[in-house]
């Protein structure tokens, strides 16, 4: 009976002298695993961010949704025994006579501010991209409205637009124009807060769009100039198309910020007079905290409508970016 033994795989290799030698079998390749200490280190770095998101984003959003689905009073808000009412608070908001004017004011306020902030910011970014003397100093001065606290900016505009002692009406008086009741007239209150918000938001658009202009190669402009393209043609054919990714994120962030503007409107007009400058942001505050009998549920429902609007526009932006990447 023959007993065979399986020998390890050895390959013959010729050395420098030409003699055949037997090479040792290759060592087995072992899969390298990440050390456990590194895994714990990765989780340790992620833990503060995750904790921050849960405490300051996820939990407040959950509480706001819960508020909008229950009938909360001051007592039940403290004790936490509010009955579940489903979508009743949303139905109350939609049936409220103030819903349509607040929706209209929110749309007008957001659209006008967004368009003018972007247009003025883009014009200033193109202007400062010429790199003339004092360009850096002037850009720094334009950042002042963005750096000031909102309460300071809103209070300053309230003083400037004061009907009796405001500097704007004083300037109009020198031109022979009568006083305008900027903050106390239903016809002008929304315009007043729009002007103030545009002034505050232009520096942000200027900074982001100016950074985008710096990434455009100057060789493209030089080639277009050699081909005889005018300044407008260079802007429309080169600058504007190449700024589309930066413009998209600028408009999205501006939209989210403008939807939730509360400080400026509340300090300047408190949503009045006669709710002529009330938006969803100020209306939500009035429902929840501006009355003797607070309506926490409807106030939270209005706030959730703002969250949904911002989320919808965010999803539209993400989908547009995916289509652009695939194309």
């Amino acid at each position: 009976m023959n007993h065979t033994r399986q020998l390890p795989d050895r390959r013959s290799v010729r050395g420098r002298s030409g003699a055949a030698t037997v090479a040792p079998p290759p060592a087995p390749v072992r899969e390298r695993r990440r050390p456990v200490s590194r895994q714990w280190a990765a989780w340790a770095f992620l833990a503060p961010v995750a904790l921050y998101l849960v405490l300051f984003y996820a939990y407040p959003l959950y509480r706001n949704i819960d508020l909008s689905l229950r009938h909360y009073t001051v007592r039940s808000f403290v004790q936490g025994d509010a009955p579940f009412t489903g979508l009743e608070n949303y139905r109350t908001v939609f049936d409220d006579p103030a819903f349509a004017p607040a929706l209209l004011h929110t749309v007008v306020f957001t659209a006008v501010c967004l368009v003018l902030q972007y247009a003025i910011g883009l014009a200033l970014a193109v202007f400062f991209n010429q790199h003339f003397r004092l360009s850096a100093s002037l850009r720094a001065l334009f950042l002042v409205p963005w750096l000031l606290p909102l309460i300071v900016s809103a209070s300053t505009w309230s003083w400037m637009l004061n009907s009796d002692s405001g500097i704007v009406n004083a300037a109009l008086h020198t031109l022979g124009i009568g006083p305008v009741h900027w903050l106390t007239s239903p016809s002008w209150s929304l315009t007043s807060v729009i002007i103030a918000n545009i002034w505050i938001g232009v520096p942000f658009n200027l900074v982001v769009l100016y950074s985008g202009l710096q990434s455009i190669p100057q060789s493209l402009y030089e080639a277009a100039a050699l081909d005889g393209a005018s300044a407008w043609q260079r802007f429309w054919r080169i600058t504007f198309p190449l700024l589309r990714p930066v413009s998209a994120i600028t408009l999205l962030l501006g939209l989210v910020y403008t939807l939730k503007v509360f400080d400026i409107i509340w300090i300047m007009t408190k949503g009045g007079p006669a709710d002529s400058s009330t938006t969803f942001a100020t209306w939500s505050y009035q429902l929840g905290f501006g009355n003797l009998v607070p309506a926490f549920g409807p106030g939270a429902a209005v706030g959730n409508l703002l969250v949904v609007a911002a989320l919808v526009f965010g999803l539209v932006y993400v989908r547009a970016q995916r289509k652009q990447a695939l194309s």
Side-chain angles (χ1 to χ4, degrees), residues 96-112:
D96 197 309
F99 175 79
L103 176 62
L104 177 62
H105 298 157
T106 303
V107 172
V108 172
F109 179 82
T110 303
V112 174

Side-chain angles (χ1 to χ4, degrees), residues 293-316:
V293 181
F296 295 116
V302 176
N304 287 333
L305 294 179
L306 288 176
V307 174
V308 171
L311 181 61
V312 168
F313 284 105
L315 293 177
V316 170

Side-chain angles (χ1 to χ4, degrees), residues 120-157:
I120 298 174
L122 180 59
L124 290 174
V126 174
F127 173 72
F128 285 120
N129 197 39
Q130 306 301 319
H131 301 292
F132 54 90
R133 293 183 61 185
L134 300 179
S135 174
S137 301
L138 290 176
R139 286 203 315 271
L141 290 177
F142 270 98
L143 292 179
V144 172
W146 192 31
L147 300 177
L148 287 175
L150 288 178
I151 188 172
V152 176
S153 301
S155 300
T156 302
W157 275 101

Side-chain angles (χ1 to χ4, degrees), residues 2 20 24 28 36 39 181 209 217 219 225 266 310 313:
N2 295 331
V36 179
Q39 294 179 356
H181 301 286
L209 295 174
S219 58
W266 191 258
F313 284 105

